[in-house]
């Protein structure tokens, strides 16, 4: 059984500290990457470790570890070679690439070579259709591959080399990649100094430059403001907007019905007892907003918190005897159809069987089992 090092436990505490105290369970995904970085897969010991540090049970951890394909449940090679065989890459030759590698390495899907170097898998989609067929090694891209170029990559890996991906940083082992997925920086010298976007990714930008297409008013040299500067600019813009608004005249009180035109304020309406906040007049809002604010699903359903509604109070509940009588009347008015009964479902025989079973003896002094059979025969 694996005993995780103190360095791993310290990293686990650092991962958990990234989340609020009452949300520590959110640290489970990076913790699973962390244990995979030590063992090369998520072992039962790794599941137990995650459950221990998070206060979960192993079933909860195992449910997450088996859901995501990036968590391997058996020992995996140093390099996970994934070949896309989905529609686009397949049309362009992805299946041929996969079949060639499988035959050359002597392994199938999710299997590892004898030297423990390479695990081969076919992937449904690697999200790089514009570079198909594509292959990844520990999730780093090798674009526009064919059978021969893919063989060259895996042979270089088996010889101890690290071929340069088409895009992205320098290649690393699966365990080193798991450390990064757990949220820790790649500490290798110049690890992120290589790579860059591919030509297909930049094609739209190049076309826009050639034809002079840009967003109106866009200045690529505009510096990116800090959050404090952006908040200050937003506050100043809001202040200018408020200052530009015309002053609002106070509303004149509406005259009452008894003294129309006298200018006397109307008497306040009687309190409705509602706890809902005051809302604008219904004609000033859309029906959807009005319904959401009053929390009234339809006009025929009264809600205590809806402004201006009166909820009828329940009367005296019916007595149990009345309810029983109503139930009996309903059952009598809806007798079951005899034609739909299955064979042998005869009420008289069932009642006789029940009485004989309760009495403990059947016909002719027979026991309960015999009595039941006798009743059915009758």
């Amino acid at each position: 059984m694996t005993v995780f090092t103190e360095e791993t436990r310290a990293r686990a505490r650092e991962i958990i500290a990234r989340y609020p105290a009452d949300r520590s369970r959110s640290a489970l995904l990076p913790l699973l990457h962390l244990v995979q970085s030590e063992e090369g897969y998520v072992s039962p010991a790794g599941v137990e470790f995650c459950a221990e540090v998070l206060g979960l049970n192993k079933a909860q951890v195992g449910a997450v570890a088996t859901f995501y394909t990036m968590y391997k449940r058996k020992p995996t090679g140093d390099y996970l070679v994934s070949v896309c065989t989905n529609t686009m890459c397949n049309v362009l030759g992805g299946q041929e690439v996969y079949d060639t590698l499988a035959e050359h390495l002597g392994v199938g899907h999710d299997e590892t070579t004898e030297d423990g170097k390479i695990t081969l898998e076919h992937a449904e989609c690697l999200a790089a259709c514009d570079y198909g067929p594509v292959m990844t090694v520990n999730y780093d891209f090798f674009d526009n591959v064919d059978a021969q170029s893919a063989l060259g990559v895996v042979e270089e890996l088996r010889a101890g080399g690290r071929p340069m991906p088409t895009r992205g940083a320098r290649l690393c082992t699966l365990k080193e990649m798991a450390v990064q997925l757990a949220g820790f920086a790649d500490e290798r010298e110049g690890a992120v100094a290589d790579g860059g976007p591919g030509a297909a990714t930049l094609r739209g930008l190049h076309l826009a430059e050639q034809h002079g297409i840009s967003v109106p008013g866009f200045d690529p040299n505009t510096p990116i403001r800090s959050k404090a500067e952006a908040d200050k600019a937003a506050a100043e813009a809001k202040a200018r907007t408020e200052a530009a608004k015309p002053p609002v005249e106070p509303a004149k009180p509406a005259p009452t019905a008894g003294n129309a035109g006298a200018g006397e304020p109307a008497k306040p309406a009687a309190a409705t007892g509602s706890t809902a906040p005051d809302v604008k007049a219904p004609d000033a809002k859309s029906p959807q907003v009005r319904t959401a604010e009053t929390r009234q699903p339809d006009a025929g359903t009264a809600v205590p918190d809806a402004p201006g509604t009166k909820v009828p109070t329940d009367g005296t509940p019916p007595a149990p005897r009345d309810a029983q009588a109503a139930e009996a009347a309903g059952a009598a008015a809806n007798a079951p159809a005899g034609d739909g009964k299955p064979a042998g479902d005869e009420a008289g025989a069932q009642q006789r069987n029940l009485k004989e079973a309760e009495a403990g003896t059947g016909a002719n002094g027979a026991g309960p089992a015999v009595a039941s059979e006798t009743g059915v025969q009758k």
Side-chain angles (χ1 to χ4, degrees):
M1 180 177 178
T2 302
V3 178
F4 291 95
T5 64
E6 183 56 36
E7 179 184 3
T8 301
R9 292 184 175 275
R11 282 182 164 176
R13 291 191 293 269
E14 181 178 342
I15 291 174
I16 296 173
R18 299 171 187 167
Y19 302 89
D22 58 341
R23 296 291 186 271
S24 60
R25 184 171 181 169
S26 300
L28 178 56
L29 296 182
L31 281 175
L32 287 170
H33 284 299
L34 180 66
V35 297
Q36 185 161 275
S37 72
E38 184 154 332
E39 298 185 285
Y41 72 112
V42 179
S43 68
V47 171
E48 184 176 355
F49 174 82
C50 294
E52 173 193 342
V53 297
L54 291 177
L56 304 175
N57 58 53
K58 291 186 287 187
Q60 292 171 312
V61 177
V64 176
T66 55
F67 182 83
Y68 297 101
T69 58
M70 293 181 76
Y71 301 125
K72 305 304 178 184
R73 300 312 310 276
K74 61 182 181 180
T76 306
D78 294 334
Y79 299 101
L80 175 66
V81 176
S82 309
V83 182
C84 180
T85 57
N86 211 342
T87 305
M88 181 63 71
C89 286
N90 199 356
V91 170
L92 297 174
Q95 188 64 50
E96 181 184 356
V97 172
Y98 175 81
D99 293 340
T100 301
L101 291 180
E103 182 179 358
H104 179 76
L105 298 173
V107 296
H109 170 66
D110 200 24
E111 293 180 353
T112 305
T113 55
E114 293 183 358
D115 58 6
K117 286 282 188 179
I118 296 177
T119 297
L120 179 66
E121 68 174 6
H122 66 77
E124 280 302 308
C125 184
L126 296 176
C129 301
D130 47 350
Y131 297 104
V134 292
M135 177 181 76
T136 61
V137 178
N138 294 341
Y139 311 115
D140 284 322
F141 281 99
F142 289 83
D143 302 325
N144 303 118
V145 296
D146 55 27
Q148 294 305 314
S149 62
L151 283 176
V153 171
V154 298
E155 281 304 302
E156 187 174 349
L157 291 172
R158 299 183 77 177
R162 296 196 180 188
M164 187 64 199
T166 308
R167 293 172 286 131
R170 296 180 184 178
L171 202 62
C172 60
T173 65
L174 184 67
K175 291 182 178 180
E176 292 170 339
M177 175 61 69
V179 173
Q180 299 171 43
L181 294 175
F184 298 95
D186 190 345
E187 299 177 353
R188 295 177 299 160
E189 181 69 24
V192 295
D194 301 314
T201 303
L202 299 177
R203 180 59 177 161
L205 178 60
H206 291 160
L207 288 173
E209 291 177 345
Q210 293 173 10
H211 297 281
I213 301 173
S214 64
V215 178
F218 173 70
D219 182 5
N221 297 319
T222 301
I224 300 176
R225 296 179 296 184
S226 65
K227 185 178 184 303
E229 293 172 341
D231 292 343
K232 181 180 179 181
E236 293 174 352
K238 183 177 180 181
R240 288 194 299 269
T241 302
E242 293 294 334
K245 289 182 178 179
V248 180
E249 297 180 0
K252 296 181 179 180
T256 61
N259 57 0
E264 296 181 3
K267 295 181 179 180
T272 61
S274 171
T275 60
D278 294 336
V279 297
K280 294 182 179 180
D283 58 352
K285 295 180 178 293
S286 66
Q288 293 84 355
V289 174
R290 187 167 65 252
T291 301
E293 288 182 344
T294 59
R295 302 195 302 280
Q296 185 171 354
D298 54 63
T301 305
V303 178
D305 284 346
T309 59
K310 294 182 179 180
V311 182
T313 57
D314 295 334
T316 305
R321 186 177 305 171
D322 297 336
Q324 293 173 359
E327 182 180 357
N334 296 276
D339 294 341
K341 290 185 176 182
D345 190 14
E346 199 272 313
Q350 293 179 357
Q351 293 176 359
R352 287 194 299 272
N353 289 342
L354 180 60
K355 291 180 180 179
E356 292 170 358
E358 292 175 349
T361 180
N364 302 325
V370 178
S372 176
E373 295 174 0
T374 304
V376 174
Q377 292 172 0
K378 290 182 182 179

